[in-house]
Amino acid sequence: MEIREPKPDEAERILEVVDSSMTSSFRLSPQQIDGITDGQFADEAIAEKIDDEDTQLHVVETGEEIEGTIIAGFVEGRLEDEWGEVNWLFVDPEHRGKGIGTELYETATEALRDRGADHVCVTVLEANTEGHQFVERFGLEHDGDRRIEVAGESLVKYVYTDSDIDVELPTESRADESDAETTEFPETETTDGHLTATNDDGKTVYIARDEEESGTAASFHVTYEDEAHEEQYGYYCANCGSLDVSMDNMERLECRDCGNAHAERSKESYDDSHL
């Protein structure tokens, strides 16, 4: 395989790779996928990224053609303060199992360091059901969250860094986290030092900040009937502030008010071939 920088006239094929990869591996609606591809990977967006000195793009060529092209993968990195950030990485489902994802990741991180990045982080959409375990295989750990707006919806990106890094995340991440703090727990109040919410019947429940499950729009937090957090009540949706959260027999959570959802990611379901 050959890894190189893309040309502006290859934007259409890049979009096809992104779309097929997201359709195959992301727990997103078609409207959400269209919102991401239209905003991030349309012809004009790719052209602007190619011209941006702080953004670096790489594509993978293989010897096998798909629909007249041989581009099988795409990665985007960006310099942000002293950080290098890998914020998108896609491999066409038809070409997985050949180590393309690993080659793209290593190329992007090496290029960012060559251009002066002291540290490298990776951002992965929460809805990317395979991407989290992919980056964890490189020793990276979840170190923060970032929100992005897609077609009027707020989606969450996880920020991954090396476990031994003890410096602030890139400026964009810090700004997003600051904004997130003010809206992290909507429809709540503090009662005697405890974070609480009230259900439709007027019952006060206690929210455990440190007991959370990921969601497609925001986290779910375990709630309790008592201050000591001994009698569990249910779950709280940090996206809309609702306590009307259901759990099915597969332990999948869903907010009945806003549709925020969580599906437990199973390590057994991960395929090493994506590396």
CSV table of all heavy atoms in Angstrom, one decimal, residues 173-221:
chain,number,residue,atom,x,y,z
A,173,SER,N,-10.4,21.8,22.9
A,173,SER,CA,-10.9,20.8,23.9
A,173,SER,C,-11.2,21.6,25.2
A,173,SER,O,-12.2,21.3,25.9
A,173,SER,CB,-10.0,19.7,24.2
A,173,SER,OG,-9.8,18.9,23.0
A,174,ARG,N,-10.3,22.4,25.7
A,174,ARG,CA,-10.5,23.1,26.9
A,174,ARG,C,-11.7,24.0,26.8
A,174,ARG,O,-12.5,24.1,27.8
A,174,ARG,CB,-9.2,24.0,27.2
A,174,ARG,CG,-8.0,23.1,27.6
A,174,ARG,CD,-7.0,24.0,28.4
A,174,ARG,NE,-6.6,25.2,27.6
A,174,ARG,CZ,-5.6,25.2,26.8
A,174,ARG,NH1,-4.9,24.1,26.6
A,174,ARG,NH2,-5.2,26.3,26.2
A,175,ALA,N,-11.9,24.7,25.7
A,175,ALA,CA,-13.1,25.6,25.6
A,175,ALA,C,-14.3,24.8,25.6
A,175,ALA,O,-15.3,25.1,26.2
A,175,ALA,CB,-13.0,26.4,24.3
A,176,ASP,N,-14.3,23.6,24.9
A,176,ASP,CA,-15.5,22.8,24.8
A,176,ASP,C,-15.9,22.3,26.2
A,176,ASP,O,-17.0,22.2,26.6
A,176,ASP,CB,-15.4,21.7,23.8
A,176,ASP,CG,-15.4,22.2,22.4
A,176,ASP,OD1,-15.8,23.3,22.2
A,176,ASP,OD2,-15.1,21.4,21.5
A,177,GLU,N,-14.8,21.8,26.9
A,177,GLU,CA,-15.1,21.3,28.3
A,177,GLU,C,-15.6,22.3,29.2
A,177,GLU,O,-16.5,22.1,30.0
A,177,GLU,CB,-13.8,20.7,28.8
A,177,GLU,CG,-13.4,19.4,28.1
A,177,GLU,CD,-12.1,18.9,28.6
A,177,GLU,OE1,-11.4,19.6,29.3
A,177,GLU,OE2,-11.7,17.7,28.3
A,178,SER,N,-15.1,23.6,29.1
A,178,SER,CA,-15.6,24.7,29.9
A,178,SER,C,-17.1,24.9,29.6
A,178,SER,O,-17.9,25.1,30.5
A,178,SER,CB,-14.8,26.0,29.7
A,178,SER,OG,-15.3,27.0,30.4
A,179,ASP,N,-17.4,25.0,28.3
A,179,ASP,CA,-18.8,25.2,28.0
A,179,ASP,C,-19.7,24.0,28.5
A,179,ASP,O,-20.8,24.2,28.9
A,179,ASP,CB,-19.0,25.3,26.5
A,179,ASP,CG,-18.4,26.5,25.9
A,179,ASP,OD1,-18.1,27.5,26.7
A,179,ASP,OD2,-18.1,26.6,24.7
A,180,ALA,N,-19.1,22.8,28.4
A,180,ALA,CA,-19.9,21.6,28.8
A,180,ALA,C,-20.2,21.6,30.3
A,180,ALA,O,-21.3,21.1,30.7
A,180,ALA,CB,-19.1,20.3,28.4
A,181,GLU,N,-19.3,22.2,31.1
A,181,GLU,CA,-19.5,22.2,32.5
A,181,GLU,C,-20.8,22.9,32.9
A,181,GLU,O,-21.4,22.6,33.9
A,181,GLU,CB,-18.3,22.8,33.2
A,181,GLU,CG,-17.1,21.9,33.2
A,181,GLU,CD,-15.9,22.5,33.9
A,181,GLU,OE1,-16.0,23.7,34.4
A,181,GLU,OE2,-14.8,21.9,33.9
A,182,THR,N,-21.1,24.0,32.2
A,182,THR,CA,-22.2,24.8,32.5
A,182,THR,C,-23.5,24.1,32.2
A,182,THR,O,-24.6,24.5,32.7
A,182,THR,CB,-22.2,26.2,31.8
A,182,THR,OG1,-22.2,26.0,30.4
A,182,THR,CG2,-20.9,26.9,32.2
A,183,THR,N,-23.5,23.1,31.3
A,183,THR,CA,-24.7,22.4,30.8
A,183,THR,C,-24.6,20.9,31.1
A,183,THR,O,-25.4,20.2,30.5
A,183,THR,CB,-24.9,22.7,29.3
A,183,THR,OG1,-23.8,22.2,28.6
A,183,THR,CG2,-25.1,24.2,29.1
A,184,GLU,N,-23.6,20.5,31.9
A,184,GLU,CA,-23.4,19.1,32.0
A,184,GLU,C,-24.6,18.4,32.7
A,184,GLU,O,-24.9,17.2,32.4
A,184,GLU,CB,-22.1,18.9,32.9
A,184,GLU,CG,-21.7,17.4,33.0
A,184,GLU,CD,-20.4,17.3,33.8
A,184,GLU,OE1,-19.9,18.3,34.3
A,184,GLU,OE2,-20.0,16.1,33.9
A,185,PHE,N,-25.2,19.1,33.6
A,185,PHE,CA,-26.3,18.5,34.4
A,185,PHE,C,-27.6,19.4,34.3
A,185,PHE,O,-27.9,20.0,35.3
A,185,PHE,CB,-25.9,18.2,35.8
A,185,PHE,CG,-24.8,17.3,36.0
A,185,PHE,CD1,-23.5,17.8,36.3
A,185,PHE,CD2,-24.9,15.9,35.8
A,185,PHE,CE1,-22.4,16.9,36.4
A,185,PHE,CE2,-23.9,15.0,36.0
A,185,PHE,CZ,-22.6,15.5,36.3
A,186,PRO,N,-28.3,19.4,33.2
A,186,PRO,CA,-29.5,20.2,33.1
A,186,PRO,C,-30.6,19.7,34.0
A,186,PRO,O,-30.6,18.5,34.3
A,186,PRO,CB,-29.9,20.1,31.6
A,186,PRO,CG,-29.3,18.8,31.1
A,186,PRO,CD,-28.0,18.7,31.9
A,187,GLU,N,-31.5,20.6,34.4
A,187,GLU,CA,-32.6,20.3,35.2
A,187,GLU,C,-32.3,19.7,36.5
A,187,GLU,O,-32.9,18.8,37.0
A,187,GLU,CB,-33.6,19.3,34.4
A,187,GLU,CG,-34.0,19.8,33.1
A,187,GLU,CD,-34.9,21.0,33.2
A,187,GLU,OE1,-35.6,21.2,34.2
A,187,GLU,OE2,-34.8,21.9,32.2
A,188,THR,N,-31.1,20.2,37.1
A,188,THR,CA,-30.7,19.7,38.4
A,188,THR,C,-30.5,20.9,39.4
A,188,THR,O,-30.5,22.1,39.0
A,188,THR,CB,-29.4,19.0,38.3
A,188,THR,OG1,-28.4,19.8,37.8
A,188,THR,CG2,-29.5,17.7,37.4
A,189,GLU,N,-30.3,20.6,40.6
A,189,GLU,CA,-30.0,21.6,41.6
A,189,GLU,C,-29.1,20.9,42.7
A,189,GLU,O,-29.0,19.7,42.7
A,189,GLU,CB,-31.2,22.2,42.3
A,189,GLU,CG,-32.1,21.2,43.0
A,189,GLU,CD,-33.4,21.8,43.5
A,189,GLU,OE1,-33.8,22.9,43.0
A,189,GLU,OE2,-34.0,21.2,44.4
A,190,THR,N,-28.5,21.7,43.5
A,190,THR,CA,-27.7,21.2,44.6
A,190,THR,C,-28.4,21.3,45.9
A,190,THR,O,-28.9,22.3,46.3
A,190,THR,CB,-26.3,22.0,44.7
A,190,THR,OG1,-25.6,21.9,43.4
A,190,THR,CG2,-25.5,21.4,45.8
A,191,THR,N,-28.6,20.1,46.5
A,191,THR,CA,-29.3,20.0,47.8
A,191,THR,C,-28.4,19.5,48.9
A,191,THR,O,-27.9,18.4,48.8
A,191,THR,CB,-30.5,19.1,47.7
A,191,THR,OG1,-31.4,19.5,46.6
A,191,THR,CG2,-31.3,19.0,49.0
A,192,ASP,N,-28.0,20.4,49.8
A,192,ASP,CA,-27.1,20.1,50.9
A,192,ASP,C,-25.8,19.5,50.4
A,192,ASP,O,-25.3,18.5,50.9
A,192,ASP,CB,-27.8,19.1,51.9
A,192,ASP,CG,-28.9,19.7,52.6
A,192,ASP,OD1,-29.0,20.9,52.8
A,192,ASP,OD2,-29.9,18.9,52.9
A,193,GLY,N,-25.3,20.1,49.3
A,193,GLY,CA,-24.1,19.6,48.7
A,193,GLY,C,-24.2,18.4,47.8
A,193,GLY,O,-23.2,18.0,47.2
A,194,HIS,N,-25.4,17.9,47.6
A,194,HIS,CA,-25.6,16.8,46.7
A,194,HIS,C,-26.3,17.2,45.4
A,194,HIS,O,-27.3,18.0,45.5
A,194,HIS,CB,-26.5,15.7,47.4
A,194,HIS,CG,-25.8,15.1,48.6
A,194,HIS,ND1,-24.9,14.1,48.6
A,194,HIS,CD2,-26.0,15.5,49.9
A,194,HIS,CE1,-24.5,13.8,49.8
A,194,HIS,NE2,-25.2,14.6,50.6
A,195,LEU,N,-25.9,16.7,44.3
A,195,LEU,CA,-26.6,17.0,43.0
A,195,LEU,C,-27.9,16.2,42.9
A,195,LEU,O,-27.8,14.9,43.1
A,195,LEU,CB,-25.6,16.6,41.8
A,195,LEU,CG,-26.2,17.0,40.4
A,195,LEU,CD1,-26.2,18.5,40.2
A,195,LEU,CD2,-25.3,16.3,39.4
A,196,THR,N,-29.0,16.9,42.7
A,196,THR,CA,-30.3,16.2,42.7
A,196,THR,C,-31.1,16.6,41.5
A,196,THR,O,-30.9,17.6,40.8
A,196,THR,CB,-31.1,16.5,44.0
A,196,THR,OG1,-31.3,18.0,44.0
A,196,THR,CG2,-30.3,16.2,45.2
A,197,ALA,N,-32.1,15.7,41.2
A,197,ALA,CA,-33.1,16.0,40.2
A,197,ALA,C,-34.4,15.6,40.7
A,197,ALA,O,-34.5,14.8,41.7
A,197,ALA,CB,-32.8,15.3,38.9
A,198,THR,N,-35.5,16.1,40.1
A,198,THR,CA,-36.9,15.8,40.6
A,198,THR,C,-37.6,15.1,39.5
A,198,THR,O,-37.7,15.6,38.4
A,198,THR,CB,-37.6,17.0,41.1
A,198,THR,OG1,-36.8,17.7,42.1
A,198,THR,CG2,-38.9,16.7,41.7
A,199,ASN,N,-38.3,14.0,39.8
A,199,ASN,CA,-39.1,13.3,38.7
A,199,ASN,C,-40.5,14.0,38.6
A,199,ASN,O,-40.8,14.9,39.3
A,199,ASN,CB,-39.2,11.8,39.0
A,199,ASN,CG,-40.0,11.5,40.2
A,199,ASN,OD1,-40.7,12.3,40.8
A,199,ASN,ND2,-39.9,10.2,40.6
A,200,ASP,N,-41.3,13.4,37.7
A,200,ASP,CA,-42.6,14.0,37.4
A,200,ASP,C,-43.5,13.9,38.6
A,200,ASP,O,-44.5,14.7,38.7
A,200,ASP,CB,-43.2,13.3,36.2
A,200,ASP,CG,-42.5,13.6,34.9
A,200,ASP,OD1,-41.7,14.6,34.9
A,200,ASP,OD2,-42.6,12.8,34.0
A,201,ASP,N,-43.3,13.0,39.5
A,201,ASP,CA,-44.1,12.9,40.7
A,201,ASP,C,-43.6,13.7,41.9
A,201,ASP,O,-44.2,13.6,43.0
A,201,ASP,CB,-44.2,11.4,41.1
A,201,ASP,CG,-44.9,10.5,40.1
A,201,ASP,OD1,-45.7,11.1,39.4
A,201,ASP,OD2,-44.5,9.4,39.9
A,202,GLY,N,-42.6,14.5,41.7
A,202,GLY,CA,-42.1,15.4,42.7
A,202,GLY,C,-41.1,14.7,43.6
A,202,GLY,O,-40.7,15.3,44.6
A,203,LYS,N,-40.6,13.5,43.3
A,203,LYS,CA,-39.6,12.8,44.1
A,203,LYS,C,-38.2,13.3,43.8
A,203,LYS,O,-37.8,13.4,42.6
A,203,LYS,CB,-39.7,11.3,43.8
A,203,LYS,CG,-38.7,10.4,44.6
A,203,LYS,CD,-38.9,9.0,44.3
A,203,LYS,CE,-37.8,8.1,45.0
A,203,LYS,NZ,-38.0,8.2,46.5
A,204,THR,N,-37.5,13.5,44.8
A,204,THR,CA,-36.1,14.0,44.6
A,204,THR,C,-35.1,12.8,44.6
A,204,THR,O,-35.2,11.9,45.5
A,204,THR,CB,-35.6,14.9,45.8
A,204,THR,OG1,-36.4,16.1,45.7
A,204,THR,CG2,-34.2,15.3,45.7
A,205,VAL,N,-34.3,12.7,43.6
A,205,VAL,CA,-33.3,11.6,43.5
A,205,VAL,C,-31.9,12.2,43.5
A,205,VAL,O,-31.7,13.4,43.1
A,205,VAL,CB,-33.5,10.7,42.3
A,205,VAL,CG1,-34.9,10.1,42.4
A,205,VAL,CG2,-33.4,11.5,41.0
A,206,TYR,N,-30.9,11.4,43.9
A,206,TYR,CA,-29.5,11.9,44.0
A,206,TYR,C,-28.7,11.3,42.8
A,206,TYR,O,-28.7,10.1,42.6
A,206,TYR,CB,-29.0,11.5,45.3
A,206,TYR,CG,-29.7,12.1,46.5
A,206,TYR,CD1,-30.9,11.5,47.0
A,206,TYR,CD2,-29.3,13.3,47.1
A,206,TYR,CE1,-31.6,12.1,48.0
A,206,TYR,CE2,-29.9,13.9,48.1
A,206,TYR,CZ,-31.1,13.3,48.6
A,206,TYR,OH,-31.8,13.9,49.6
A,207,ILE,N,-28.0,12.2,42.2
A,207,ILE,CA,-27.2,11.8,41.0
A,207,ILE,C,-25.8,11.6,41.3
A,207,ILE,O,-25.1,12.4,42.0
A,207,ILE,CB,-27.3,12.9,39.9
A,207,ILE,CG1,-28.7,13.2,39.5
A,207,ILE,CG2,-26.4,12.6,38.7
A,207,ILE,CD1,-28.9,14.4,38.7
A,208,ALA,N,-25.3,10.4,40.9
A,208,ALA,CA,-23.9,10.1,41.2
A,208,ALA,C,-23.0,10.6,40.0
A,208,ALA,O,-23.1,10.0,38.9
A,208,ALA,CB,-23.7,8.5,41.3
A,209,ARG,N,-22.3,11.6,40.2
A,209,ARG,CA,-21.5,12.2,39.2
A,209,ARG,C,-20.4,11.2,38.6
A,209,ARG,O,-20.1,11.3,37.4
A,209,ARG,CB,-20.7,13.5,39.7
A,209,ARG,CG,-21.6,14.6,40.2
A,209,ARG,CD,-20.7,15.6,40.9
A,209,ARG,NE,-21.5,16.7,41.4
A,209,ARG,CZ,-21.7,17.9,40.9
A,209,ARG,NH1,-21.2,18.1,39.7
A,209,ARG,NH2,-22.4,18.8,41.5
A,210,ASP,N,-19.9,10.4,39.5
A,210,ASP,CA,-18.8,9.5,39.1
A,210,ASP,C,-19.3,8.1,38.6
A,210,ASP,O,-18.4,7.3,38.4
A,210,ASP,CB,-17.8,9.4,40.3
A,210,ASP,CG,-18.4,8.8,41.5
A,210,ASP,OD1,-19.7,8.8,41.6
A,210,ASP,OD2,-17.7,8.4,42.4
A,211,GLU,N,-20.6,7.9,38.5
A,211,GLU,CA,-21.1,6.6,38.0
A,211,GLU,C,-21.8,6.9,36.7
A,211,GLU,O,-23.0,7.3,36.8
A,211,GLU,CB,-22.0,6.0,39.1
A,211,GLU,CG,-21.3,5.6,40.4
A,211,GLU,CD,-22.2,4.9,41.4
A,211,GLU,OE1,-22.9,4.0,40.9
A,211,GLU,OE2,-22.2,5.3,42.5
A,212,GLU,N,-21.2,6.8,35.6
A,212,GLU,CA,-21.8,7.2,34.4
A,212,GLU,C,-21.5,6.1,33.3
A,212,GLU,O,-20.6,5.3,33.3
A,212,GLU,CB,-21.2,8.5,33.9
A,212,GLU,CG,-19.7,8.5,33.6
A,212,GLU,CD,-19.2,9.8,33.1
A,212,GLU,OE1,-19.7,10.3,32.1
A,212,GLU,OE2,-18.3,10.4,33.8
A,213,GLU,N,-22.5,6.2,32.3
A,213,GLU,CA,-22.4,5.3,31.1
A,213,GLU,C,-22.4,6.3,30.0
A,213,GLU,O,-23.1,7.3,30.0
A,213,GLU,CB,-23.6,4.4,31.1
A,213,GLU,CG,-23.7,3.4,32.2
A,213,GLU,CD,-22.6,2.3,32.1
A,213,GLU,OE1,-21.9,2.2,31.1
A,213,GLU,OE2,-22.6,1.5,33.1
A,214,SER,N,-21.7,5.9,28.9
A,214,SER,CA,-21.6,6.8,27.7
A,214,SER,C,-23.0,6.8,27.0
A,214,SER,O,-23.8,5.9,27.1
A,214,SER,CB,-20.5,6.3,26.8
A,214,SER,OG,-20.8,5.0,26.3
A,215,GLY,N,-23.2,7.9,26.3
A,215,GLY,CA,-24.4,8.0,25.5
A,215,GLY,C,-24.1,8.7,24.1
A,215,GLY,O,-23.0,9.3,24.0
A,216,THR,N,-25.0,8.6,23.2
A,216,THR,CA,-24.7,9.1,21.9
A,216,THR,C,-24.7,10.7,21.9
A,216,THR,O,-24.1,11.3,21.1
A,216,THR,CB,-25.7,8.6,20.9
A,216,THR,OG1,-27.1,8.9,21.4
A,216,THR,CG2,-25.6,7.2,20.6
A,217,ALA,N,-25.4,11.3,22.8
A,217,ALA,CA,-25.5,12.7,22.9
A,217,ALA,C,-24.8,13.2,24.2
A,217,ALA,O,-24.3,14.3,24.2
A,217,ALA,CB,-26.9,13.2,22.9
A,218,ALA,N,-24.9,12.5,25.3
A,218,ALA,CA,-24.3,12.9,26.6
A,218,ALA,C,-24.4,11.6,27.5
A,218,ALA,O,-25.0,10.6,27.1
A,218,ALA,CB,-25.1,14.0,27.2
A,219,SER,N,-23.7,11.7,28.6
A,219,SER,CA,-23.6,10.6,29.5
A,219,SER,C,-24.9,10.3,30.2
A,219,SER,O,-25.8,11.2,30.4
A,219,SER,CB,-22.5,10.8,30.5
A,219,SER,OG,-21.3,11.0,29.9
A,220,PHE,N,-25.1,9.1,30.7
A,220,PHE,CA,-26.1,8.7,31.7
A,220,PHE,C,-25.4,8.5,33.0
A,220,PHE,O,-24.3,8.0,33.1
A,220,PHE,CB,-26.8,7.4,31.3
A,220,PHE,CG,-27.6,7.4,30.0
A,220,PHE,CD1,-27.0,7.0,28.8
A,220,PHE,CD2,-28.9,7.9,30.0
A,220,PHE,CE1,-27.8,7.1,27.6
A,220,PHE,CE2,-29.6,7.9,28.9
A,220,PHE,CZ,-29.1,7.5,27.7
A,221,HIS,N,-26.1,9.0,34.1
A,221,HIS,CA,-25.6,8.8,35.4
A,221,HIS,C,-26.5,8.0,36.3
A,221,HIS,O,-27.8,8.2,36.2
A,221,HIS,CB,-25.3,10.2,36.1
A,221,HIS,CG,-24.2,11.0,35.4
A,221,HIS,ND1,-23.0,11.0,35.9
A,221,HIS,CD2,-24.2,11.7,34.3
A,221,HIS,CE1,-22.2,11.7,35.1
A,221,HIS,NE2,-22.9,12.2,34.1
